[in-house]
Amino acid sequence: MAFLKGTKLYSIFTGKCPVCHQGKMYLNSNAYKVSETLKMHDRCPHCDVKFKIEPSFFYGAMYVSYAVGIAFAVAAFVIAYFFIEMSRFHSFLIIIGTLIVFLPIILRLSRNIWINFFFKYDKTKV
């Protein structure tokens, strides 16, 4: 992922600070530790940027999570129905399973996308 450094995609996919791309946003890098999936640092450990701009800042990420969830569901349906040639009912079950299994990833991706709408990479903070 080093080739993406300096782009928003780097911050989105690695969970690094959108400003410096050095500090981690989440306390635990394992998204599947359910009790800590959304626990974040208040500020970047490297450049001291405040992640939560205002109270309830990450409510906007719910809208992004809807779109990300739809993308995962469509991908699961296409793979199950067209490539594996499952019935529509079984494809529906695959979609439900996919959304349950990838829920922590979807939640984090949504937050990462949302915060990257409001911050830009700054080379001087590196």
Side-chain angles (χ1 to χ4, degrees):
M1 290 298 253
F3 65 94
L4 288 175
K5 197 158 190 170
T7 66
K8 292 190 179 289
L9 290 176
Y10 181 81
S11 174
I12 289 168
F13 290 123
T14 60
K16 299 282 184 168
C17 171
V19 176
C20 68
H21 288 191
Q22 297 289 323
K24 293 181 179 181
M25 287 196 291
Y26 299 97
L27 296 175
N28 191 336
S29 58
N30 181 4
Y32 286 99
K33 185 158 188 186
V34 179
S35 63
E36 297 182 7
T37 297
L38 296 178
K39 289 188 179 175
M40 298 178 68
H41 295 285
D42 292 328
R43 296 183 170 274
C44 175
H46 185 263
C47 69
D48 203 40
V49 166
K50 187 176 180 182
F51 291 137
K52 206 175 198 180
I53 299 171
E54 60 189 23
S56 306
F57 172 68
F58 286 108
Y59 280 137
M62 290 188 303
Y63 297 104
V64 177
S65 72
Y66 179 75
V68 173
I70 293 297
F72 272 77
V74 167
F77 175 76
V78 167
I79 291 169
Y81 189 73
F82 293 109
F83 291 115
I84 304 175
E85 298 180 358
M86 294 180 147
S87 69
R88 273 186 265 162
F89 177 74
H90 288 108
S91 298
F92 178 71
L93 294 178
I94 293 295
I95 291 170
I96 292 171
T98 299
L99 291 176
I100 290 170
V101 168
F102 286 104
L103 180 64
I105 302 297
I106 292 169
L107 292 173
R108 281 199 177 182
L109 273 176
S110 302
R111 277 192 172 203
N112 295 350
I113 292 168
W114 184 249
I115 199 168
N116 272 279
F117 281 131
F118 300 95
F119 290 101
K120 290 183 180 177
Y121 177 67
D122 186 359
K123 291 180 184 177
T124 61
K125 301 257 182 170
V126 176

